[in-house]
Structure formats: C-alpha cells, structure tokens
C-alpha cells in the first residue's frame, strides 16, 4: 500500500491560561482527531472522508473553537464557518455564518456533493441543513462556560472603553480554528477547516475558514492546505491557494513555497498565521507565526506527533 | 498628469431576447457607468472611489443583475454579494447574501474602511448597514418584472421536472454581475464587483463576486481584476488572484497571464467566465468565454468603447 498521512491543527494564536490548564485535554483531542482520520485512511478510505472525520472529532470536542465550544460573536451567538477541498476532483464545498449545525464541515461536504453550488451561508445554509436532515443542535449545545466568560470579559472592556477594547481585540484577539489535511493510499489529497470565528467578532463576520483558496485548498498536482490565525490576514494574501500557486508557478517544493510565502509575502504583517500542508508524496509541513499552534500528524510510516508550542 | 483609465463589465453569459430588446439601454448603462467613474478619475480622485461610482451606477440601473434588478433566488428573494479591492493599501472589503442594501459595493467599502474585518454576510451585514446608516430600500425596490418572470419560468420548470430543470439551470443559467477596474492618476489600482446572484439559486448561495481573490482583486504590483460568469468555476480556480499570481510568479504581462489562465487552467471547463483587468500602465484587458460580455472602457488618452458581443 502506498504511503498515506494525515495532519491536523487546532488553531494558532496567543497563548492563554486556558490552554495551559487544559494541555492534556488539548493533546488528547488532537490525538483523537488524528486517530479518527487515520482509521479511515488505514481501511483504504478517501482523503476527503479522513479530513472530515478528523475535523468532526474536534468540532465535537468543546475545547476547540469549532462546532461545540466555538467563540461567541458580539451578540454572544455562535456563528460557524467551514470548508472542504477534494484535490482529486478539484471540487469544493463551504458554509459561512451558519448556526445550529452540529458539524459545519459535513454540511460543507454536502454542499459539494449535493448542490450545484460551492458556498452557502446564513439562514439559507441552515435551510439546506434541514433539507438534507443534517444533525442540528440547540444554541445551548454550542456554548461553553469558557467561551461565555471570554465573551463577557470582552464585552465589559468594550462597554468601558470601546476604542481601547477594539485595539486590544485586534492586537491579541483569541482566534482558533480546526483543520486537517490528508494524502490517502490512492494518492489523493484533501483539506478541511472549521471554526467558531473570532471572539467578539461582529455579527455576520465571515471568516477565512469558509473561503476556498484562503482557509482551505487542495489540488492533487500541488498540495492540500488548511490555514488558521487572524483570518483577515489570510484573506488579504489568499493564503492557501497562494502557496499552491508558488509551488506551481515558481516550481518550488511545498516546504520552500511555504518558506517563500512567510518570508517574502507575510513578512511585516502584524497578524498571526498558522498552516498545515501535505504534498502528494505525503510530506507534511507545519508553519506558524504565533505563540502556539495546536498540531499533530500521523503517517503510515508509523510517525505520530502532537505539539502545541 | 499620468495616464488613468477605467473599464467596466455588466456580466458575461448566454445571450437572450431580453438583452437584444434592451441593447440601447445596456450600452447607455455601460456608458453612464464609465462616465460616473471617469468623472472621479479626471478630478484626480482615487481608483477606489472611481470603481465604486461606476458599480453604483450599474447597481442603480434595473437592467443589470446587481442592486436594483438583481436575479431572484429560489424563494424569489434578492440576495446580493459585492466586494472591493484597494491595490495601493492592499485592503479589501466584501459583503455576502445581504438584503435591502441599495448599494452593496458601498457597504463592502464601508466594511473595508470602518471595521477590523474584511467580510460580512447575511443579517449581520444588514445590521452593520443600519449602524452606519447606509441607504436601504424595501424588497419591492429591487424586484423588476423581467427578473420576476425569469424566476416564475424557472420555478415552473422545476415544479414539473426538478432534475431536468436543475440540469438546464447548470447548463444555461442566467448569471450576471457588474464590475469595474481602474488606474488613477496617482498610479493606484482598484477593482470592484457586485451581483444579484444566479437566477433561482439556493437561498444563501454565496457568489464569487463577494470573494476577495476570486471575484475581485487588486495589487499595485500586478493588476486589478473583476470577474463574472458562472461563479462556481471562478471559485474553483481562485480566478482573480490566480491571474495576479501568474503575472508575479511566471513573470508574464497581464494579457499573457490571462491567455495562460484561459488556455491552460480554464480549458475544458463547461462554465462561462468573463473578466476585465487593468495593469499599472493603464492597459486594459477584456476576455470572455461566453456568448457575450457587456463591457466598456474609457481612458485619459481619449479612448472610449462599449461592446456587448
């Protein structure tokens, strides 16, 4: 059987007490996600199904900012974004600012498989979820005490000094995302990303995680990528597709393309960014400009790694 | 004064009796849009303000599929998408599936100028419009008899034979967009795009026109681009940024980059695509793979052109 491999991330950004206090839980969560995706690859399953399973695992885990446990917006609501990319068929699916959907990345996959569209958002995405009987949950399911406390703190700061709070929010905002990339035993690449958004973001803010070519991209000829960090910076640089384009048009390897992107294009940017990527040989790359990026990988060669800093 | 120039499009796609019957109106509409943008460039105004003015002119014109006169979705509602790109500051703004906003591209500009975000959608984008007192209009303002008739025809077909109707819709769907690109007398590039979406699209379908890097892109080092056509194909190829990346990483001129994109990347695709672009020397490129693309340009060298086929 040919080499297969999977990598996951659980977001990049500033460090926090919450992360330190839950270190074991986060590491276990990354391992669970890797195992969920790996179990599919091991049986000869597709990269698309593997990245979906890995991301589902983190969406269902309240520690990660995606699905249950996602960040709350300025109205204390959970609005979620996700996307998925199939590098073999060059097909994509994405959902933005959707509420109540238990697994946004699976809804993104359904958009890819069951509609003539790629990208659905807002109440229309929820209608589609109802139409295909995707699992839904009440608002309360998504809200964790940790995220509510973060919201309340940001809200209080904003009430007292809106300008200062906005500045601090931009400088050190909490952000998180989960994502996965995989090469399956048939030689196909896939990527997926899912997020609860940025803490205290505006109602309706659409994140990079839902944008094909920015948060998620896969192409069997180049690589599969999932990005995280300050989404607005990723959008500005069309991050995921950008790295694929550097490989294709500058003829660089995946690690060199990432290096070039970080050193030449992202240099001087104040925002955080993190990314995981895999090429068609199953070589995994991790890179982040942030205090930490929750990440891990597992390969058919027996490698298994989980790291945070 | 250095050369300045502006180009506009009013969508690419299949021909129709409606277009033939309204030929003079469409040509006048393109000319009005060019004149609105040109008036700003002539006074030394910015490319960003010029593309906004040109797009506003077509958004206000019920003949074009943007703002008033936009296509209706499967629920007979007008849901609009728009984006704007400032090539000098490398800043972007975008709105998706927004209702009741008279000029979606101006709301996208406000997201760029007044928030820490780039991209807002759905009810949250409408809340932001209310917050900044952007001009709003009732649902009835946006609906034209032509678009209602198109909706009713598609709806009837779908009721009778849903699968056949879906197939026909994919094969020959009506789509339209408006867009503009400009180089101002200070040497800065900008692009903007706005759309009412695809006829009878799913509620919540987010179009390429709202996606930075897909429907709209600008970078003073390469070019400014606005795309139109079957949005899903533009998303798949990250169309606007893709052409900029070909210029940057393959070292091609704008016309050669477009040629390469169309011949090598878009070859074999069933979807329609159209694009207008301008480089930092003020050279305008038009390209479309469709029956027609409403388009025009006006430059400080005295050139003025308006074409449909």
């Amino acid at each position: 059987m040919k080499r297969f491999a999977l990598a996951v991330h659980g977001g990049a950004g500033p460090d926090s007490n919450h992360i330190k206090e839950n270190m074991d839980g986060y590491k276990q969560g990354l391992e669970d996600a890797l195992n969920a995706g790996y179990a599919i690859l091991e049986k000869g399953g597709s990269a698309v199904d593997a990245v979906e399973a890995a991301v589902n695992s983190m969406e269902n885990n309240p520690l990660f900012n995606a699905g249950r446990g996602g960040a709350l917006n300025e109205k204390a609501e959970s609005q979620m974004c996700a996307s998925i990319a199939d590098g073999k068929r060059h097909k994509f699916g994405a959902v933005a600012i959707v509420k109540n959907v238990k697994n946004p990345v699976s809804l993104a996959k359904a958009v890819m498989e069951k509609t003539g569209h790629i990208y659905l958002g807002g109440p229309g995405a929820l209608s589609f979820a109802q139409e295909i009987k995707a699992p839904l949950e009440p608002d309360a399911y998504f809200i964790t005490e940790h995220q509510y406390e973060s919201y309340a703190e940001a809200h209080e700061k904003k009430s007292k000094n809106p300008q200062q709070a906005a500045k601090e929010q931009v400088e050190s905002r909490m952000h998180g995302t989960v994502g996965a990339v995989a090469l399956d035993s048939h030689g196909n690449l896939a990527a997926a990303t899912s997020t609860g958004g940025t803490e205290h973001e505006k109602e309706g803010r659409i994140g990079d995680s839902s944008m094909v070519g920015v948060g998620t991209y896969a192409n069997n000829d180049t690589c599969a990528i999932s990005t995280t960090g300050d989404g607005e910076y990723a959008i500005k640089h069309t991050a995921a597709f950008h790295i694929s384009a550097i490989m294709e048009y500058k003829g660089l390897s995946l690690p060199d393309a990432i290096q070039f992107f970080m050193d030449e294009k992202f240099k001087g940017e104040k925002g955080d960014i993190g990314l995981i990527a895999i090429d068609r040989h199953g070589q995994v790359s991790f890179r982040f400009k942030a205090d930490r990026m929750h990440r891990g990988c597992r390969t058919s060669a027996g490698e298994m790694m989980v790291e945070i800093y």
Side-chain angles (χ1 to χ4, degrees), chain A residues 4-9 33-34 37-38 41 46-55 58 83-85 178-184 188-193 215-219 223-227 240 254 258 274-279 282-286 293 295-299:
Chain A
F4 54 89
L6 174 82
V8 299
H9 70 76
L34 285 169
Y38 194 85
L41 295 177
S46 76
V48 171
D49 290 342
V51 294
E52 181 193 16
V55 168
M58 291 182 282
S83 54
I84 194 162
V178 308
V181 295
L183 171 75
D184 65 29
N188 296 317
L189 294 172
T193 311
T216 306
Y217 187 72
N219 184 335
C223 61
I225 305 195
S226 170
T227 72
L254 176 59
I258 292 170
L275 56 92
I276 59 170
I278 190 167
D279 67 15
Q283 295 303 322
V284 172
S285 295
F286 297 101
M293 178 166 77
R295 64 200 184 279
C297 71
R298 189 170 174 193
T299 75

Short mmCIF file of all heavy atoms in Angstrom, two decimals, chain A residues 4-9 33-34 37-38 41 46-55 58 83-85 178-184 188-193 215-219 223-227 240 254 258 274-279 282-286 293 295-299:
data_model
loop_
_atom_site.label_atom_id
_atom_site.label_comp_id
_atom_site.label_asym_id
_atom_site.label_seq_id
_atom_site.Cartn_x
_atom_site.Cartn_y
_atom_site.Cartn_z
N PHE A 4 0.38 6.82 3.21
CA PHE A 4 -0.71 7.77 3.47
C PHE A 4 -0.42 8.51 4.76
O PHE A 4 0.37 8.03 5.60
CB PHE A 4 -2.09 7.09 3.48
CG PHE A 4 -2.20 5.92 4.42
CD1 PHE A 4 -2.59 6.11 5.74
CD2 PHE A 4 -1.94 4.63 3.98
CE1 PHE A 4 -2.72 5.03 6.61
CE2 PHE A 4 -2.05 3.54 4.85
CZ PHE A 4 -2.45 3.74 6.16
N ALA A 5 -0.99 9.68 4.90
CA ALA A 5 -0.65 10.52 6.06
C ALA A 5 -1.74 11.55 6.29
O ALA A 5 -2.50 11.91 5.39
CB ALA A 5 0.68 11.22 5.80
N LEU A 6 -1.78 12.00 7.53
CA LEU A 6 -2.80 12.96 7.96
C LEU A 6 -2.16 13.94 8.93
O LEU A 6 -1.35 13.54 9.77
CB LEU A 6 -3.89 12.16 8.68
CG LEU A 6 -5.03 12.89 9.37
CD1 LEU A 6 -6.09 13.27 8.34
CD2 LEU A 6 -5.65 11.99 10.44
N ALA A 7 -2.52 15.21 8.80
CA ALA A 7 -2.08 16.20 9.79
C ALA A 7 -3.29 17.02 10.22
O ALA A 7 -4.23 17.19 9.43
CB ALA A 7 -1.01 17.11 9.21
N VAL A 8 -3.27 17.48 11.45
CA VAL A 8 -4.39 18.30 11.96
C VAL A 8 -3.84 19.53 12.67
O VAL A 8 -2.69 19.55 13.10
CB VAL A 8 -5.28 17.51 12.96
CG1 VAL A 8 -5.89 16.28 12.30
CG2 VAL A 8 -4.52 17.12 14.22
N HIS A 9 -4.68 20.57 12.76
CA HIS A 9 -4.35 21.68 13.66
C HIS A 9 -5.59 22.03 14.46
O HIS A 9 -6.72 21.75 14.04
CB HIS A 9 -3.79 22.90 12.90
CG HIS A 9 -4.81 23.62 12.08
ND1 HIS A 9 -5.77 24.45 12.62
CD2 HIS A 9 -5.04 23.63 10.74
CE1 HIS A 9 -6.51 24.94 11.65
NE2 HIS A 9 -6.12 24.45 10.50
N ALA A 33 -8.46 13.25 17.08
CA ALA A 33 -8.76 13.69 15.70
C ALA A 33 -7.89 12.93 14.71
O ALA A 33 -8.37 12.46 13.66
CB ALA A 33 -8.53 15.19 15.58
N LEU A 34 -6.61 12.78 15.05
CA LEU A 34 -5.69 12.04 14.17
C LEU A 34 -6.16 10.59 14.03
O LEU A 34 -6.18 10.04 12.92
CB LEU A 34 -4.27 12.07 14.73
CG LEU A 34 -3.51 13.39 14.57
CD1 LEU A 34 -2.23 13.38 15.40
CD2 LEU A 34 -3.19 13.67 13.10
N GLY A 37 -9.28 10.24 11.74
CA GLY A 37 -8.96 10.34 10.32
C GLY A 37 -8.13 9.16 9.84
O GLY A 37 -8.36 8.61 8.74
N TYR A 38 -7.20 8.75 10.69
CA TYR A 38 -6.28 7.65 10.31
C TYR A 38 -7.04 6.34 10.11
O TYR A 38 -6.72 5.56 9.20
CB TYR A 38 -5.21 7.49 11.39
CG TYR A 38 -4.04 6.63 10.95
CD1 TYR A 38 -2.99 7.18 10.23
CD2 TYR A 38 -4.01 5.27 11.23
CE1 TYR A 38 -1.93 6.39 9.81
CE2 TYR A 38 -2.95 4.47 10.82
CZ TYR A 38 -1.91 5.04 10.10
OH TYR A 38 -0.86 4.27 9.67
N LEU A 41 -8.20 6.27 6.61
CA LEU A 41 -7.10 6.08 5.64
C LEU A 41 -6.58 4.64 5.67
O LEU A 41 -6.25 4.06 4.63
CB LEU A 41 -5.95 7.04 5.95
CG LEU A 41 -6.24 8.52 5.80
CD1 LEU A 41 -5.02 9.34 6.21
CD2 LEU A 41 -6.65 8.87 4.36
N SER A 46 -11.04 7.45 1.61
CA SER A 46 -10.57 8.64 0.88
C SER A 46 -10.06 9.72 1.82
O SER A 46 -10.47 9.84 2.98
CB SER A 46 -11.71 9.21 0.04
OG SER A 46 -12.63 9.90 0.86
N ALA A 47 -9.16 10.55 1.25
CA ALA A 47 -8.62 11.69 1.99
C ALA A 47 -9.76 12.63 2.42
O ALA A 47 -9.73 13.18 3.52
CB ALA A 47 -7.61 12.43 1.13
N VAL A 48 -10.77 12.78 1.56
CA VAL A 48 -11.90 13.66 1.89
C VAL A 48 -12.63 13.15 3.14
O VAL A 48 -12.93 13.92 4.05
CB VAL A 48 -12.88 13.77 0.70
CG1 VAL A 48 -14.16 14.49 1.10
CG2 VAL A 48 -12.23 14.49 -0.47
N ASP A 49 -12.90 11.86 3.17
CA ASP A 49 -13.59 11.30 4.35
C ASP A 49 -12.70 11.39 5.60
O ASP A 49 -13.20 11.61 6.71
CB ASP A 49 -13.98 9.84 4.11
CG ASP A 49 -15.10 9.72 3.08
OD1 ASP A 49 -15.79 10.73 2.82
OD2 ASP A 49 -15.29 8.61 2.53
N ALA A 50 -11.40 11.25 5.40
CA ALA A 50 -10.48 11.30 6.56
C ALA A 50 -10.41 12.71 7.16
O ALA A 50 -10.47 12.86 8.38
CB ALA A 50 -9.09 10.84 6.13
N VAL A 51 -10.31 13.73 6.32
CA VAL A 51 -10.23 15.09 6.88
C VAL A 51 -11.56 15.48 7.51
O VAL A 51 -11.60 16.16 8.54
CB VAL A 51 -9.77 16.17 5.85
CG1 VAL A 51 -8.32 15.92 5.43
CG2 VAL A 51 -10.69 16.27 4.64
N GLU A 52 -12.66 15.00 6.94
CA GLU A 52 -13.97 15.27 7.54
C GLU A 52 -14.04 14.64 8.94
O GLU A 52 -14.45 15.29 9.91
CB GLU A 52 -15.10 14.71 6.67
CG GLU A 52 -16.49 14.99 7.24
CD GLU A 52 -17.60 14.20 6.58
OE1 GLU A 52 -17.30 13.21 5.88
OE2 GLU A 52 -18.78 14.56 6.78
N ALA A 53 -13.62 13.38 9.05
CA ALA A 53 -13.70 12.69 10.34
C ALA A 53 -12.81 13.37 11.38
O ALA A 53 -13.20 13.52 12.55
CB ALA A 53 -13.30 11.22 10.17
N ALA A 54 -11.61 13.77 10.97
CA ALA A 54 -10.68 14.43 11.91
C ALA A 54 -11.27 15.75 12.40
O ALA A 54 -11.23 16.07 13.59
CB ALA A 54 -9.34 14.66 11.22
N VAL A 55 -11.85 16.52 11.46
CA VAL A 55 -12.42 17.82 11.84
C VAL A 55 -13.68 17.61 12.68
O VAL A 55 -13.89 18.32 13.68
CB VAL A 55 -12.69 18.67 10.58
CG1 VAL A 55 -13.55 19.89 10.90
CG2 VAL A 55 -11.36 19.13 9.98
N MET A 58 -12.85 17.22 16.31
CA MET A 58 -12.54 18.48 17.01
C MET A 58 -13.77 19.38 17.12
O MET A 58 -13.91 20.13 18.09
CB MET A 58 -11.37 19.18 16.34
CG MET A 58 -10.05 18.41 16.54
SD MET A 58 -8.59 19.22 15.81
CE MET A 58 -8.82 18.78 14.09
N SER A 83 -15.06 24.73 5.47
CA SER A 83 -14.91 24.42 4.05
C SER A 83 -14.12 23.13 3.88
O SER A 83 -13.43 22.69 4.79
CB SER A 83 -14.23 25.57 3.30
OG SER A 83 -13.00 25.89 3.91
N ILE A 84 -14.26 22.54 2.71
CA ILE A 84 -13.60 21.27 2.42
C ILE A 84 -13.16 21.26 0.96
O ILE A 84 -13.82 21.88 0.10
CB ILE A 84 -14.55 20.07 2.76
CG1 ILE A 84 -13.79 18.75 2.82
CG2 ILE A 84 -15.74 20.00 1.80
CD1 ILE A 84 -14.56 17.66 3.57
N ALA A 85 -12.04 20.61 0.69
CA ALA A 85 -11.49 20.61 -0.67
C ALA A 85 -11.05 19.19 -1.06
O ALA A 85 -10.37 18.52 -0.29
CB ALA A 85 -10.27 21.53 -0.72
N VAL A 178 -10.05 24.73 13.54
CA VAL A 178 -9.51 23.39 13.46
C VAL A 178 -9.40 23.03 11.99
O VAL A 178 -10.14 23.59 11.16
CB VAL A 178 -10.37 22.34 14.22
CG1 VAL A 178 -10.65 22.79 15.65
CG2 VAL A 178 -11.66 22.05 13.48
N GLY A 179 -8.47 22.15 11.68
CA GLY A 179 -8.32 21.80 10.27
C GLY A 179 -7.57 20.49 10.12
O GLY A 179 -6.94 20.01 11.08
N ALA A 180 -7.65 19.94 8.93
CA ALA A 180 -6.94 18.69 8.65
C ALA A 180 -6.55 18.64 7.17
O ALA A 180 -7.24 19.22 6.32
CB ALA A 180 -7.82 17.49 8.99
N VAL A 181 -5.45 17.97 6.90
CA VAL A 181 -5.03 17.70 5.52
C VAL A 181 -4.64 16.23 5.45
O VAL A 181 -4.17 15.67 6.43
CB VAL A 181 -3.84 18.58 5.07
CG1 VAL A 181 -4.23 20.05 5.03
CG2 VAL A 181 -2.62 18.39 5.98
N ALA A 182 -4.86 15.62 4.29
CA ALA A 182 -4.55 14.20 4.19
C ALA A 182 -4.14 13.81 2.78
O ALA A 182 -4.57 14.41 1.80
CB ALA A 182 -5.74 13.35 4.63
N LEU A 183 -3.28 12.77 2.73
CA LEU A 183 -2.99 12.05 1.50
C LEU A 183 -3.48 10.63 1.74
O LEU A 183 -3.11 10.00 2.73
CB LEU A 183 -1.48 12.01 1.23
CG LEU A 183 -1.06 11.09 0.07
CD1 LEU A 183 -1.38 11.71 -1.29
CD2 LEU A 183 0.45 10.77 0.15
N ASP A 184 -4.33 10.12 0.85
CA ASP A 184 -4.82 8.75 1.05
C ASP A 184 -3.98 7.75 0.25
O ASP A 184 -3.08 8.13 -0.51
CB ASP A 184 -6.32 8.65 0.76
CG ASP A 184 -6.70 8.92 -0.68
OD1 ASP A 184 -5.87 8.65 -1.59
OD2 ASP A 184 -7.82 9.40 -0.93
N ASN A 188 -4.57 10.55 -3.39
CA ASN A 188 -5.39 11.77 -3.45
C ASN A 188 -5.24 12.64 -2.21
O ASN A 188 -5.14 12.13 -1.10
CB ASN A 188 -6.86 11.39 -3.63
CG ASN A 188 -7.09 10.67 -4.95
OD1 ASN A 188 -6.54 11.08 -5.97
ND2 ASN A 188 -7.86 9.59 -4.92
N LEU A 189 -5.30 13.95 -2.45
CA LEU A 189 -5.16 14.94 -1.37
C LEU A 189 -6.51 15.56 -1.03
O LEU A 189 -7.39 15.68 -1.88
CB LEU A 189 -4.21 16.06 -1.81
CG LEU A 189 -2.74 15.68 -2.05
CD1 LEU A 189 -2.00 16.88 -2.65
CD2 LEU A 189 -2.09 15.25 -0.75
N ALA A 190 -6.66 15.97 0.23
CA ALA A 190 -7.85 16.72 0.66
C ALA A 190 -7.51 17.59 1.85
O ALA A 190 -6.53 17.34 2.56
CB ALA A 190 -8.99 15.76 1.02
N ALA A 191 -8.32 18.61 2.05
CA ALA A 191 -8.14 19.51 3.19
C ALA A 191 -9.50 19.96 3.70
O ALA A 191 -10.47 19.99 2.94
CB ALA A 191 -7.33 20.74 2.77
N ALA A 192 -9.57 20.27 5.00
CA ALA A 192 -10.82 20.79 5.58
C ALA A 192 -10.50 21.70 6.75
O ALA A 192 -9.47 21.53 7.41
CB ALA A 192 -11.69 19.62 6.05
N THR A 193 -11.38 22.68 6.96
CA THR A 193 -11.19 23.67 8.02
C THR A 193 -12.56 23.99 8.61
O THR A 193 -13.56 23.99 7.89
CB THR A 193 -10.55 24.95 7.44
OG1 THR A 193 -9.42 24.60 6.65
CG2 THR A 193 -10.11 25.91 8.55
N GLY A 215 -8.77 29.67 3.37
CA GLY A 215 -8.66 28.82 4.55
C GLY A 215 -8.37 27.37 4.19
O GLY A 215 -7.78 26.63 4.97
N THR A 216 -8.80 26.97 3.03
CA THR A 216 -8.73 25.56 2.62
C THR A 216 -8.44 25.48 1.12
O THR A 216 -9.05 26.21 0.33
CB THR A 216 -10.08 24.86 2.88
OG1 THR A 216 -10.45 25.05 4.25
CG2 THR A 216 -10.01 23.37 2.60
N TYR A 217 -7.55 24.57 0.73
CA TYR A 217 -7.32 24.34 -0.69
C TYR A 217 -6.70 22.97 -0.88
O TYR A 217 -5.94 22.50 -0.02
CB TYR A 217 -6.40 25.42 -1.29
CG TYR A 217 -6.28 25.31 -2.79
CD1 TYR A 217 -7.34 25.66 -3.61
CD2 TYR A 217 -5.13 24.80 -3.38
CE1 TYR A 217 -7.25 25.52 -4.99
CE2 TYR A 217 -5.04 24.66 -4.77
CZ TYR A 217 -6.11 25.02 -5.56
OH TYR A 217 -6.03 24.88 -6.92
N ALA A 218 -7.02 22.31 -1.95
CA ALA A 218 -6.38 21.04 -2.27
C ALA A 218 -6.36 20.83 -3.78
O ALA A 218 -7.33 21.17 -4.46
CB ALA A 218 -7.10 19.87 -1.61
N ASN A 219 -5.25 20.31 -4.25
CA ASN A 219 -5.06 20.07 -5.67
C ASN A 219 -4.04 18.94 -5.76
O ASN A 219 -2.92 19.09 -5.28
CB ASN A 219 -4.53 21.36 -6.32
CG ASN A 219 -4.37 21.25 -7.82
OD1 ASN A 219 -4.22 20.15 -8.36
ND2 ASN A 219 -4.40 22.38 -8.49
N CYS A 223 -0.68 20.47 -3.58
CA CYS A 223 -0.72 20.18 -2.15
C CYS A 223 -2.14 20.35 -1.61
O CYS A 223 -3.05 20.76 -2.32
CB CYS A 223 0.21 21.17 -1.41
SG CYS A 223 -0.28 22.89 -1.63
N ALA A 224 -2.30 20.02 -0.33
CA ALA A 224 -3.54 20.30 0.41
C ALA A 224 -3.14 21.15 1.61
O ALA A 224 -2.13 20.87 2.25
CB ALA A 224 -4.20 19.00 0.87
N ILE A 225 -3.92 22.20 1.88
CA ILE A 225 -3.57 23.16 2.95
C ILE A 225 -4.79 23.55 3.76
O ILE A 225 -5.88 23.72 3.21
CB ILE A 225 -3.00 24.46 2.35
CG1 ILE A 225 -1.82 24.17 1.43
CG2 ILE A 225 -2.58 25.42 3.45
CD1 ILE A 225 -0.99 25.40 1.09
N SER A 226 -4.60 23.71 5.07
CA SER A 226 -5.60 24.34 5.93
C SER A 226 -4.90 25.41 6.74
O SER A 226 -3.83 25.17 7.30
CB SER A 226 -6.23 23.29 6.86
OG SER A 226 -7.02 23.94 7.85
N THR A 227 -5.47 26.62 6.78
CA THR A 227 -4.82 27.73 7.49
C THR A 227 -5.61 28.12 8.73
O THR A 227 -6.79 27.80 8.87
CB THR A 227 -4.65 28.97 6.59
OG1 THR A 227 -5.93 29.57 6.37
CG2 THR A 227 -4.02 28.62 5.26
N ALA A 240 -4.09 30.00 1.25
CA ALA A 240 -3.96 28.58 0.88
C ALA A 240 -3.64 28.41 -0.61
O ALA A 240 -2.68 27.73 -0.98
CB ALA A 240 -5.24 27.82 1.26
N LEU A 254 6.90 22.06 -1.60
CA LEU A 254 5.96 22.59 -0.60
C LEU A 254 6.67 23.33 0.54
O LEU A 254 6.32 24.47 0.84
CB LEU A 254 5.05 21.46 -0.08
CG LEU A 254 4.08 21.83 1.04
CD1 LEU A 254 3.13 22.95 0.63
CD2 LEU A 254 3.28 20.60 1.48
N ILE A 258 6.21 27.40 1.22
CA ILE A 258 5.75 27.95 2.50
C ILE A 258 6.77 28.96 3.03
O ILE A 258 6.41 30.05 3.48
CB ILE A 258 5.49 26.82 3.52
CG1 ILE A 258 4.30 25.98 3.07
CG2 ILE A 258 5.26 27.39 4.92
CD1 ILE A 258 4.09 24.70 3.87
N GLY A 274 -1.07 30.46 10.86
CA GLY A 274 -0.56 29.11 11.03
C GLY A 274 -1.09 28.27 9.89
O GLY A 274 -2.16 28.57 9.35
N LEU A 275 -0.34 27.27 9.50
CA LEU A 275 -0.85 26.42 8.43
C LEU A 275 -0.27 25.01 8.51
O LEU A 275 0.85 24.81 8.99
CB LEU A 275 -0.59 27.04 7.06
CG LEU A 275 0.83 27.41 6.67
CD1 LEU A 275 1.49 26.25 5.95
CD2 LEU A 275 0.80 28.62 5.76
N ILE A 276 -1.08 24.08 8.08
CA ILE A 276 -0.62 22.71 7.91
C ILE A 276 -0.84 22.36 6.45
O ILE A 276 -1.80 22.80 5.82
CB ILE A 276 -1.37 21.71 8.81
CG1 ILE A 276 -2.88 21.73 8.54
CG2 ILE A 276 -1.10 22.00 10.29
CD1 ILE A 276 -3.63 20.59 9.23
N ALA A 277 0.10 21.59 5.90
CA ALA A 277 0.02 21.26 4.47
C ALA A 277 0.65 19.90 4.22
O ALA A 277 1.47 19.43 5.01
CB ALA A 277 0.73 22.33 3.66
N ILE A 278 0.25 19.29 3.13
CA ILE A 278 0.80 17.98 2.77
C ILE A 278 0.93 17.94 1.25
O ILE A 278 0.08 18.48 0.53
CB ILE A 278 -0.11 16.84 3.30
CG1 ILE A 278 0.55 15.48 3.17
CG2 ILE A 278 -1.49 16.85 2.64
CD1 ILE A 278 -0.18 14.39 3.97
N ASP A 279 2.00 17.33 0.76
CA ASP A 279 2.15 17.24 -0.69
C ASP A 279 1.81 15.82 -1.17
O ASP A 279 1.44 14.96 -0.37
CB ASP A 279 3.55 17.69 -1.14
CG ASP A 279 4.66 16.75 -0.67
OD1 ASP A 279 4.36 15.61 -0.25
OD2 ASP A 279 5.83 17.17 -0.72
N GLY A 282 3.14 12.81 0.50
CA GLY A 282 2.79 12.57 1.89
C GLY A 282 3.69 13.30 2.87
O GLY A 282 3.68 13.01 4.07
N GLN A 283 4.49 14.24 2.38
CA GLN A 283 5.34 15.03 3.28
C GLN A 283 4.51 16.13 3.91
O GLN A 283 3.89 16.93 3.21
CB GLN A 283 6.52 15.65 2.50
CG GLN A 283 7.50 14.62 1.94
CD GLN A 283 8.09 13.72 3.02
OE1 GLN A 283 8.39 14.16 4.13
NE2 GLN A 283 8.22 12.43 2.71
N VAL A 284 4.52 16.16 5.23
CA VAL A 284 3.71 17.14 5.98
C VAL A 284 4.56 18.35 6.34
O VAL A 284 5.71 18.20 6.74
CB VAL A 284 3.16 16.48 7.26
CG1 VAL A 284 2.48 17.51 8.14
CG2 VAL A 284 2.20 15.34 6.91
N SER A 285 3.99 19.55 6.19
CA SER A 285 4.65 20.77 6.65
C SER A 285 3.77 21.48 7.66
O SER A 285 2.55 21.59 7.47
CB SER A 285 4.89 21.73 5.47
OG SER A 285 5.79 21.18 4.55
N PHE A 286 4.38 21.97 8.74
CA PHE A 286 3.70 22.83 9.71
C PHE A 286 4.44 24.16 9.73
O PHE A 286 5.67 24.17 9.67
CB PHE A 286 3.81 22.26 11.14
CG PHE A 286 3.16 20.94 11.34
CD1 PHE A 286 3.91 19.77 11.37
CD2 PHE A 286 1.79 20.86 11.53
CE1 PHE A 286 3.32 18.54 11.57
CE2 PHE A 286 1.19 19.63 11.74
CZ PHE A 286 1.95 18.47 11.77
N MET A 293 0.67 26.79 17.99
CA MET A 293 -0.31 26.19 17.07
C MET A 293 -0.52 24.75 17.53
O MET A 293 0.43 23.96 17.55
CB MET A 293 0.14 26.23 15.62
CG MET A 293 -0.89 25.55 14.67
SD MET A 293 -0.65 25.87 12.90
CE MET A 293 0.73 24.78 12.53
N ARG A 295 -1.21 21.19 17.01
CA ARG A 295 -0.99 20.47 15.75
C ARG A 295 -0.55 19.03 15.98
O ARG A 295 -0.09 18.68 17.08
CB ARG A 295 0.08 21.21 14.92
CG ARG A 295 1.45 21.23 15.60
CD ARG A 295 2.36 22.33 15.03
NE ARG A 295 3.70 22.30 15.61
CZ ARG A 295 4.02 22.82 16.80
NH1 ARG A 295 3.12 23.40 17.55
NH2 ARG A 295 5.27 22.76 17.23
N GLY A 296 -0.66 18.24 14.96
CA GLY A 296 -0.21 16.86 15.07
C GLY A 296 -0.25 16.18 13.72
O GLY A 296 -0.87 16.69 12.77
N CYS A 297 0.43 15.03 13.63
CA CYS A 297 0.32 14.26 12.38
C CYS A 297 0.52 12.77 12.66
O CYS A 297 1.08 12.38 13.69
CB CYS A 297 1.30 14.74 11.31
SG CYS A 297 3.00 14.35 11.64
N ARG A 298 0.01 11.97 11.78
CA ARG A 298 0.16 10.52 11.87
C ARG A 298 0.31 9.98 10.45
O ARG A 298 -0.45 10.35 9.55
CB ARG A 298 -1.08 9.92 12.55
CG ARG A 298 -0.89 8.45 12.86
CD ARG A 298 -1.97 7.87 13.75
NE ARG A 298 -1.72 6.43 13.83
CZ ARG A 298 -2.56 5.53 14.31
NH1 ARG A 298 -3.73 5.92 14.79
NH2 ARG A 298 -2.25 4.26 14.34
N THR A 299 1.30 9.12 10.25
CA THR A 299 1.55 8.62 8.89
C THR A 299 1.62 7.09 8.88
O THR A 299 1.83 6.46 9.92
CB THR A 299 2.90 9.15 8.33
OG1 THR A 299 3.97 8.44 8.98
CG2 THR A 299 3.07 10.64 8.58
#
